[in-house]
Amino acid sequence: MLDKAIVIENLSKMYKNNRGIQDINLEIDQGEIFGFLGPNGSGKTTTMKIMVGLMKADKGDVKINGFSIINDYERAMKDVGCIIENVTPFPYLTAYENMQLRGRFIRQVDEEQIDKCLGVTGIIKYKNEKIKNYSLGMKQRLGIAMAILSNPKIIILDEPFNGLDVEGMVEMRKLITNLSKQQKTTFFISSHLIHDIELTCDRVGILYKGKLIGVDSNHNILQNYSSLENYYLSEVDLNADS
């Protein structure tokens, strides 16, 4: 269990409209980039909200670095950075000022650490600009800078490629893969953008109508299918009536 960064056990959450997630079981290795792939409304954000304690599950548990989010929440979240749904920094503050505010919740954060995170995400030269002047891609980068400020071992990102132009998507992919290689950071990334998941992730899980219908390594998928898209369509077709 110690080599597992995240273990999701029998996780379920149903809403009044009968949408939600059902009996999700999943294990993520330390240092892995895992892609959580599915259409809008499939339950990706619900799962991730439960993982970080923003929502309570009907059933099941999540263990992060061996600690239960139900029974040992503070220790479970100690080494986790996350962006769930939108990045919402204060628009009339600069990037540096937003990072300072974030740093108030973390021990031993100084100017050097803030500059390091802004440098890693490529926006240090804009650190004194107000966020209201930032592009969407720059805001996404700032969000990741804020997420890595505490030097987390695990980063959970909900739709990090959403709304980015082609250049922004390429840069975001490089940022994630570089952090994984250089700092051995574990990534759990949700997206409905198949191409970016294919080019970024080590392993992929497909969530469809609230159910996890397929999990495999990118290597295995691309040995047996011409693309991740074809694998996705095949799995969806097999489970369309379930």
Side-chain angles (χ1 to χ4, degrees):
M1 188 75 94
L2 291 177
D3 61 336
K4 301 299 179 184
I6 302 170
V7 177
I8 300 174
E9 301 173 333
N10 302 314
L11 205 62
S12 296
K13 174 72 177 180
M14 297 302 294
Y15 301 106
K16 291 180 180 179
N17 60 6
N18 290 322
R19 292 174 65 180
I21 55 172
Q22 302 174 50
D23 293 317
I24 293 180
N25 290 277
L26 186 61
E27 296 184 351
I28 312 299
D29 293 332
Q30 298 281 357
E32 182 176 21
I33 304 176
F34 184 85
F36 204 38
L37 181 63
N40 291 330
S42 59
K44 301 188 301 296
T45 299
T46 294
T47 305
M48 297 174 97
K49 282 183 174 179
I50 294 170
M51 289 172 67
V52 299
L54 294 176
M55 184 180 287
K56 192 172 182 180
D58 296 335
K59 185 181 73 171
D61 195 6
V62 179
K63 292 185 174 69
I64 299 179
N65 286 327
F67 299 108
S68 163
I69 62 165
I70 296 173
N71 301 319
D72 212 344
Y73 180 75
E74 287 191 12
R75 284 205 282 180
M77 295 301 297
K78 180 176 178 292
D79 291 312
V80 177
C82 66
I83 302 173
I84 306 297
E85 296 188 314
N86 299 321
V87 179
T88 54
F90 293 99
Y92 291 99
L93 297 180
T94 66
Y96 185 78
E97 289 167 340
N98 272 283
M99 292 288 281
Q100 281 184 309
L101 280 176
R102 172 75 179 98
R104 291 174 65 184
F105 299 95
I106 305 166
R107 291 182 181 177
Q108 298 178 329
V109 170
D110 54 17
E111 184 176 355
E112 183 180 351
Q113 176 67 5
I114 290 173
D115 283 350
K116 178 184 174 183
C117 293
L118 292 172
V120 165
T121 53
I123 56 172
I124 191 161
K125 60 185 176 181
Y126 310 111
K127 75 174 191 176
N128 293 317
E129 287 190 24
K130 290 185 177 179
I131 302 307
K132 66 178 182 177
N133 300 320
Y134 270 29
S135 67
L136 179 57
M138 291 168 70
K139 288 178 183 176
Q140 293 281 64
R141 285 171 172 271
L142 176 59
I144 292 191
M146 294 170 77
I148 66 175
L149 188 57
S150 62
N151 288 317
K153 296 176 182 176
I154 299 170
I155 298 179
I156 298 171
L157 302 175
D158 186 17
E159 300 280 2
F161 308 108
N162 227 12
L164 298 180
D165 57 20
V166 173
E167 184 178 341
M169 288 181 181
V170 171
E171 291 175 349
M172 186 63 69
R173 291 200 302 262
K174 286 181 180 178
L175 176 58
I176 291 168
T177 53
N178 285 343
L179 282 171
S180 175
K181 289 175 183 175
Q182 294 168 11
Q183 300 185 27
K184 307 301 180 187
T185 306
T186 303
F187 280 89
F188 188 100
I189 302 169
S190 80
S191 185
H192 63 278
L193 301 173
I194 292 177
H195 182 65
D196 289 295
I197 291 294
E198 181 176 325
L199 294 176
T200 309
C201 298
D202 303 313
R203 203 157 54 102
V204 178
I206 295 175
L207 193 67
Y208 183 70
K209 293 184 179 179
K211 295 180 180 179
L212 192 63
I213 61 173
V215 179
D216 206 345
S217 71
N218 234 337
H219 177 75
N220 286 344
I221 291 168
L222 297 178
Q223 277 195 326
N224 294 296
Y225 296 85
S226 60
S227 67
L228 179 56
E229 181 177 325
N230 284 339
Y231 169 72
Y232 172 84
L233 292 172
S234 173
E235 291 296 308
V236 167
D237 186 55
L238 286 171
N239 290 272
D241 297 326
S242 61

